[in-house]
Amino acid sequence: MFRIDLPAQAGPVRADVEEAARWLAGQVVRTPVLHSPAVDRLAGVRVLMKAENLQNGGSYKMRGALLAVGRLAAAGGHGGVVAQSTGNHAVAVALAARQHGMAATVVLPVDAAPTKVARARAAGARVVVASTAGERLAVARELSEATGHPMVDAYDHPDVIAGQGSASLELIEEAERAGTPLDALVLPVGGGGGAAGACLAAAGRPIEVYGVEPVGCDSLARSLAAGRPTPVAPAPTIADGLRPSCVGELPFAILRTAVRGVVRVDDEEIAEAFRLLLLELKVLAEPSAAAGLAGALRIAADGRHRTVGVVLTGGNIEAELVARLAAHRLADITSVEGMAA
C-alpha cells in the first residue's frame, strides 16, 4: 500500500494541521460526513464525502482564513488584511477579519460569481477587481504595501494550508472511528492549498491523495510533469473556484512528493457529479466541489480502493447556474457570469 512520507521542508507539516484542528475547534462547524448507497453503487467502492459546503462562509476556506487572520489578530499591530482569490477565500478572509475587528480588502476577478462578491461585501470587505490572476496578485501586493496590512494569500500561506487540512483530518479520523478507514482521499485543486493540507493530514497513513483539476485549468498536473510551478491560461469552466493560473509555490513543494496523482475532469463530468449530489444526497455543492466527486468516480474505477474520501469544498453557487445544471443545459452555462476564464 502506498504511504505518504513527507521530506524535511520549510513550511507546514502534519503537526501543524493537528494543531490547526485544535485551534479551530469550536470556531468552525464540524461538518458531517455523508454517505450514499447510490453513489457507492455507481463508484463500485465506498465513498465518504465531507460536507464543507455547510461550513461557515459556505466553504472550507473559512478554516484557513480563521487560522491565519486569528493569529495575526493575536499577534497585534495589524488593523486589517488583504487577500486575492477567485471568490471563496475572499469571503472567508472578510468574515474572519470582521470577527476580529479588522478591515479587509479583497481582490477578485472581474467576472467573479456575483454571489461571492456579494458575500464578501456583506462581510464588510472592500472589493477591488482585476482582470487576470497575475493582475490580482499585483494589485493585492500594492494594496498591502500602501495600507501596511499583511496579505493572507489563498495558497502560499502556511496557516491557510494547515487550516484547510483540518477538514481532511476530520474526514480521515471519522472514517477510522467508523471502521471504514480511507485508502484514497480526493481534493479539487485551484492553487493547491487544500490538496497540500490533505497530504499533510494523511502523512504517515496508508492513504493515496489525489488532486482533481478541470480540463484546461491543470496547472498542478503540468507542474508535476515539469518539476516546477507552471502557469496556464485557464480555460472556461463551470468550476469557477478552480481557475487560478498557477499552483502556489508552497503547496507545490508539498504536493510534488506527496500527491499520488492528478485527475482531469471536463464540465460534463462535473455537471453529472453536481446532479448526483443534488438529487441523490440532496446536497447543494458548487461545481468546484462537485469536481472532487467527479474525480473520485474516475479514481474508483481502477478497482484498487475500498473507501474513497472526498472533501466537498464549498457551496457558494449562483441560483441561475443551479437551474441550468439541474436542467442539463450545459451548453448555456458558459454565458453565466463568473464562468469565463
Side-chain angles (χ1 to χ4, degrees):
M1 173 65 71
F2 178 88
R3 180 182 292 273
I4 295 171
D5 290 303
L6 295 171
Q9 61 183 34
V13 295
R14 175 180 167 180
D16 295 310
V17 176
E18 294 169 339
E19 174 59 27
R22 289 189 290 270
W23 196 91
L24 290 167
Q27 297 191 66
V28 295
V29 177
R30 190 174 181 95
T31 53
V33 174
L34 309 178
H35 173 247
S36 164
V39 174
D40 286 1
R41 287 193 297 271
L42 183 62
V45 300
R46 182 185 297 107
V47 180
L48 301 179
M49 292 160 279
K50 178 73 166 166
E52 285 291 297
N53 56 305
L54 303 178
Q55 187 54 257
N56 295 333
S59 83
Y60 79 149
K61 298 286 188 177
M62 197 69 204
R63 295 171 177 268
L66 268 177
L67 183 63
V69 175
R71 285 183 168 170
L72 285 171
H78 302 293
V81 291
V82 176
Q84 69 83 23
S85 83
T86 56
N88 281 336
H89 176 71
V91 172
V93 168
L95 288 167
R98 184 176 68 179
Q99 180 173 319
H100 289 284
M102 300 168 72
T105 302
V106 298
V107 185
L108 292 168
V110 293
D111 62 344
T115 293
K116 295 175 182 179
V117 176
R119 287 196 172 206
R121 285 192 171 125
R126 173 193 175 198
V127 175
V128 179
V129 298
S131 296
T132 67
E135 288 175 3
R136 292 200 311 270
L137 184 58
V139 169
R141 286 173 174 162
E142 290 172 3
L143 289 168
S144 178
E145 291 174 4
T147 61
H149 296 164
M151 275 188 61
V152 179
D153 195 89
Y155 326 120
D156 281 316
H157 195 297
D159 288 340
V160 169
I161 292 172
Q164 290 176 11
S166 68
S168 291
L169 182 62
E170 287 179 10
L171 174 54
I172 290 167
E173 292 178 344
E174 186 156 338
E176 290 173 347
R177 285 194 296 270
T180 55
L182 305 182
D183 46 34
L185 177 57
V186 182
L187 274 290
V189 174
C199 288
L200 297 177
R205 291 177 165 96
I207 300 173
E208 297 179 347
V209 179
Y210 294 85
V212 180
E213 295 180 304
V215 172
C217 301
D218 54 350
S219 175
L220 176 57
R222 297 188 194 194
S223 299
L224 292 171
R228 62 185 183 277
T230 302
V232 298
T237 175
I238 59 173
D240 67 294
L242 306 182
R243 295 185 298 134
S245 62
C246 191
V247 66
E249 292 186 9
L250 184 52
F252 181 72
I254 297 167
L255 293 165
R256 67 184 302 174
T257 57
V259 75
R260 184 68 171 87
V262 180
V263 178
R264 297 175 177 92
V265 294
D266 61 30
D267 277 2
E268 290 285 355
E269 292 173 289
I270 295 171
E272 285 297 329
F274 171 87
R275 287 189 286 271
L276 186 61
L277 289 165
L278 184 64
L279 300 177
E280 292 294 341
L281 284 89
K282 318 307 177 192
V283 165
L284 183 61
E286 60 188 273
S288 299
L293 178 57
L297 294 175
R298 285 268 209 95
I299 291 160
D302 65 17
R304 297 190 304 107
H305 304 103
R306 297 181 61 187
T307 305
V308 177
V310 183
V311 178
L312 300 178
T313 48
N316 293 323
I317 181 172
E318 302 298 301
E320 182 183 0
L321 182 54
V322 173
R324 294 189 181 198
L325 283 170
H328 295 239
R329 298 205 306 274
L330 187 59
D332 299 335
I333 289 172
T334 53
S335 67
V336 178
E337 270 192 281
M339 296 305 108

